[in-house]
Amino acid sequence: MTLREAEAYLLDLELFGMRFGLDRMHKLMTVLGMPQRRFASIHVVGTNGKSSTTRMIAAILERHGLRTGTYTSPHLRSFAERIEVREQPLDGASFAAAVARAAHAAQMVDRIADEDDRVTQFEALTAAAYSELARRGVEVAVIEAGLGGRYDATNVIPSRVQVLTSVGLEHTRWLGPTVTDIAEEKLAVVRDHATLVVGELDAEAAAVARRVAAERHARLVRAPVEAEAPRRAPGAFQRRNFGVARAAVEAFLGKLDAGAVLHAAEEVVIPGRMEIVGHAPLTIHDGAHNPSGAAALAEALPDVVGARRPVVGAVAILDDKDAPGMLREVLPRFDRVVFTRSANPRSLPPATLLTLCEQLGGPPAEVAPTARAAVSRAREIAGREGAVVVTGSIYLIAELVREEGAERASAL
């Protein structure tokens, strides 16, 4: 199986959609020889900040001398980016081999399953990740949950530390209508006698965390509000994420090496999250996709952008997101906006976003038919002294990154 074939296999599985339950994952793990038990693990759940916190935990652990692996989602260029060993994504051949093993296991599981109970894309990908992390001999894997926690495919690891980054209203169709319901689903990953590390939580979610920790006889650790500032991951929300990561590593190791923590803060990179990708104009990619993520972006922008003007947003939002809630947060930070859509079929029409912007009393705005056209127009408006912020959907950023990579490859 080649990388292209592996990605085609995974994309074909997307047609079957999501199906909750852990029975298929347990069967996959059995067929693969229980790889998830051959490394220690830290499980990261939450509404926002999961990917950043996962990468930060791995960076701190790596600088304490541990061989680490990570499993994150989504990806920007290739599915292979979701599995990393020692902070490096798998090469195409290794990823394809891992997917081939998972596909063989899935075939065996599907053989005795009902037609509507087949292995899903995320389950196959998670199985590939656990298989490869075990094969590479990682000492500790930091695993980001996909959706929720209780029935998420990742929730077959015997993790020693669980991390709850934040809780907000998201995926209410599947996780429940209230913050309490969502916290319950996410905190179902907490193991007996483990350690639960939590970030900033509102009163409802904090109450659930206290209760679940008590029921599972787990130690509850509240991360500090502020910590070292990760140099290559700007913004107050990333400092908070780093504080959660630091607390998680301390819970896992028992003590920290201050120098290792500082080196991690200096060197960790978070693709697609407040990521500076250009300087004339300053160009920022941030995959905020819900109101709390948009609020974190809005909070961070003044420090990152400084005196640069104008600040121009290039924005696309999916139709299952709270577009009005997101726009209320970010529009006050923009001097102009260019609305567009990503290639994802769920992307809202730019004209719809323009109408919402007008209804909310937002800044002058216009529309562009494609992601590339929107960013080109935003850069034109910003000039060399302004700033462009690409946000609203990780799919928008992924599309731009893939196009840029294809252009570089064709130029070689």
Side-chain angles (χ1 to χ4, degrees), residues 293-362:
L297 168 62
E299 176 192 27
L301 272 179
D303 288 341
V304 178
V305 171
R308 288 177 176 267
R309 291 295 182 277
V311 180
V312 186
V315 179
I317 301 174
L318 299 187
D319 63 12
D320 62 342
K321 306 302 179 184
D322 181 1
M326 292 172 63
L327 292 178
R328 284 190 193 95
E329 299 291 348
V330 296
L331 289 179
R333 298 297 190 195
F334 296 150
D335 300 303
R336 296 277 294 274
V337 189
V338 182
F339 291 111
T340 187
R341 66 185 309 156
S342 69
N344 189 296
R346 292 185 289 121
S347 197
L348 281 167
T352 300
L353 296 173
L354 179 63
T355 299
L356 282 172
C357 177
E358 293 169 348
Q359 291 172 348
L360 293 168

Side-chain angles (χ1 to χ4, degrees), residues 32-272:
L32 289 167
M34 307 301 282
Q36 80 280 20
R37 295 187 178 178
R38 286 155 51 194
F39 47 78
S41 54
I42 296 173
H43 205 176
V44 182
V45 300
T47 299
N48 290 308
K50 294 193 299 293
S51 292
S52 295
T53 303
T54 296
R55 291 179 182 277
M56 290 169 178
I57 291 171
I60 299 171
L61 286 169
E62 192 71 34
R63 284 151 189 81
H64 277 82
L66 290 172
R67 182 177 177 82
T68 64
T70 57
Y71 177 51
T72 59
S73 60
H75 59 272
L76 294 181
R77 297 174 183 83
S78 164
F79 278 105
E81 297 170 22
R82 299 193 184 196
I83 308 169
E84 293 193 358
V85 176
R86 311 212 83 159
E87 301 177 277
Q88 294 299 316
L90 295 188
D91 62 86
S94 296
F95 179 76
V99 172
R101 291 193 298 272
H104 177 69
Q107 187 178 42
M108 296 178 68
V109 172
D110 286 345
R111 193 176 298 158
I112 57 173
D114 293 336
E115 186 67 29
D116 61 351
D117 194 35
R118 295 183 177 276
V119 170
T120 68
Q121 180 193 90
F122 192 64
E123 288 166 348
L125 190 52
T126 303
Y130 290 170
S131 171
E132 185 64 13
L133 293 174
R135 195 186 74 82
R136 294 293 187 95
V138 304
E139 295 171 272
V140 55
V142 192
I143 306 297
E144 175 189 349
L147 177 63
R150 185 186 308 276
Y151 297 117
D152 188 76
T154 60
N155 194 26
V156 293
I157 46 174
S159 53
R160 287 166 42 185
V161 174
Q162 298 84 41
V163 179
L164 177 64
T165 57
S166 63
V167 180
L169 292 177
E170 62 159 357
H171 303 299
T172 53
R173 176 182 172 186
W174 297 284
L175 302 181
T178 69
V179 166
T180 295
D181 293 326
I182 293 169
E184 292 272 6
E185 291 301 306
K186 294 181 183 298
L187 288 170
V189 304
V190 176
R191 306 300 182 199
D192 290 341
H193 306 287
T195 299
L196 170 61
V197 178
V198 300
E200 283 190 284
L201 303 176
D202 66 15
E204 293 175 75
V208 177
R210 289 193 299 270
R211 179 174 55 73
V212 169
E215 290 172 353
R216 309 284 165 80
H217 306 287
R219 183 165 64 103
L220 179 62
V221 175
R222 295 174 180 82
V225 174
E226 292 288 337
E228 292 82 357
R231 184 176 64 84
R232 301 171 72 181
F237 71 97
Q238 293 291 35
R239 289 195 294 275
R240 292 192 291 271
N241 287 336
F242 196 86
V244 175
R246 190 183 194 278
V249 175
E250 186 171 22
F252 183 84
L253 295 178
K255 61 179 181 179
L256 293 172
D257 179 298
V261 174
L262 287 174
H263 282 140
E266 282 290 308
E267 296 166 0
V268 69
V269 176
I270 314 297

